[in-house]
Every structure is written in structure tokens, then in C-alpha cells.
Amino acid sequence: MSELPFTLDQLRILKAIAAEGSFKRAADSLYVSQPAISLQVQNLERQLNVPLFDRGGRRAQLTEAGHLLLSYGEKVLTLCQETCRALEDLQNLQGGTLIIGASQTTGTYLLPRMIGMFRNRYPEVSVQLHVHSTRRTAWSVLNGQIDLAIVGGEVPAELHDSLEIIPYIEDELALLLPAAHPLAKTENIQKEDLYKLKFITLESQSTIRKVIDQVLSRYGIDTRRFRIEMELNSIEAIKNAVQSGLGAAFVSTSAIEKELQLGTLHRAHIQDVEVKRMLSVIYNPNRYRSKAAEAFSRELLPQFAPPGWENKKPPVPPSPPFEPDKQPPPSSNSGTPNSTLT
């Protein structure tokens, strides 16, 4: 081909329609009219000589050719964004963007504190925080959509060879009781006491729920015998339910600092049992690493890590050349749950 049969604007439109599921919502998200969107799609299909959408259903569905163009188009758009950010870096942190990923618990309770400290030092840098499941976050790091991430779940095994996965800090999952619960007056509770409690938990497929079950089983505690009073889909909902006296729950200590200070919740200690998981920092060593990302890694990460962490973690390599040919992640509509708590 002497000329490309599509423009960057047309790729952006295609991506927006696929994400929004309709031409109208895509037009609203891009702040253009729906007729303008439709005309661009018609021109694109005519230039490529293939249909990109099935027109039969109520939702805009991509054809096989549409899916193929979208998968490559997302790579093109990502590289364009990386190019702009690399040029912005020439201003030496007087601008630019830092994109950080996180799983749900770290994104809700840990990262906002870190980002606040970073913004105080570099107010000209725009910071974006993307909070999703560990799996979706890891794919986004692989494809350059996120600079680095802190996650608490298992990174997909197929990504281990492509990503740098660095153990960061331990996250303790504490047993919470209502402040007025009889066991709140006891210094340590026994393993057998757990079977007498009513529990409020995350959904059974959540990563934290699986970690709790695995750790407790190593201490000889059978979580199948727990009396599950209710399952909720957020840490805040669980904390409120415990505070209202509806049951007990295991919650990350990073999420309960305020409640413990105010005395609205009681943290119970189980005799000879500690429930912990390792949080990890992940980044793609084969992607461009912005100065903002390097500054965040160098200055903020060590402040929350145990002493000596800087000497134990692998050295950060210099920014490598682009490698845009990695397998794209599952799309946001592919079934990867956004609400999986990790």
C-alpha cells in the first residue's frame, strides 16, 4: 500500500465504539456528533473494502475484520501515546503523565497516599490511577498502557517471562470484630473460636478470599466450617457491616487504620496465627520507562517498603526500545472481571 487506508482518528473512533457498544455513546465520549462517527466508519470500511461492524443487533458488534483492526489499532495508539510521553519527558518532570495500576485494595487504600506525596513533589506531572483486577492490570502493564503497578493477586503465569515482578511489602489481613463483641475483650482468641463467629466475606471468587482460605488451612483451620452470614463486593461495605454488629471479617490492615484509631472496630488476634500476603510491584522492562515512573520508583516506593528493600530489588534498567508486537490483553468486554477484589 502506498498510503495507509486509515487515520489515527478513525482508529480512535473504532476503539471508542468497541468500548462503548454503540455509535451514539462513542460519539458522546469523543465529543463529536453521531453522524460524524458514522461517516468516518463508512469511509474506513470503504477504504479497507471490508465490513467492520454487524449492523443487525442493537449493540455495535465487531466483525472478524473489525476485531483484527482493533487489536492492531490499540497497539498503534499506545505507541503514539508513548511517543508523546517520551517527548514530554524532555521537560525533565515539568510536565508529562504517570500512569499507575493497582488491584482493588492497594488502589483504594495504599496508592492514594503515595500519589499524594508524589504530587506534592512534582505538581506539574499528571497522575492517573487505574484500579482493576490483578489479571487485567498485569496485561495493561505488559502492553504499555500502565507504567507500573502494585498488585496483591497472582500475576498470570503466561506473563511471568515478560514482566518484572518484584516482591514489595507484606499485607496483613486482620480479623475484625464489632467493638461490642464479647471476644473483643479477649487479648487472643483461639482457633476454635472462629467456628462460633458469623462471617462477612468477599465473593467466593475474589483473590483475597482465596488467600485467606489458603493461609488459614495451613494453620489447620477449615474455612468450610465458617458460618458465612453474607457476601459483599467491597471492603467498605464489609467494614460497615462489621461495625453494625452483623459479623466478623478479615480485612487488610491498610484499610482499617482510621477505624482502629477511632475505636469503632476491634482487631482480634488469633493465637499463633498470622494471615499475610505479599504485594508485588510489576513493570515491563521492554517498554519505555518515563522519568516520572523512574522518580516514583526511586523516591516513593522505598518509603513504604521494609528497610533494605532497595538493595534487594533488581536494578531498574534504562529505558529500552519499543517492542510493539506483544500479544494484546483480553479486551474489557472479554470476561475479565473488573470488580474482582485483590
Side-chain angles (χ1 to χ4, degrees), residues 201-210 213 231-232:
T201 70
L202 292 169
E203 297 151 327
S204 59
Q205 295 304 309
S206 71
T207 303
I208 290 182
R209 177 89 172 264
K210 294 176 181 178
D213 290 348
E231 293 183 346
L232 302 175

Side-chain angles (χ1 to χ4, degrees), residues 14 17 23 37-46 50-63 66:
L14 180 71
I17 297 172
F23 281 51
I37 290 282
S38 299
L39 180 61
Q40 287 283 9
V41 171
Q42 291 172 12
N43 290 339
L44 181 58
E45 290 179 322
R46 183 170 61 252
V50 291
L52 299 175
F53 291 95
D54 289 323
R55 263 55 175 200
R58 295 177 59 184
R59 182 179 175 87
Q61 297 285 350
L62 288 168
T63 62

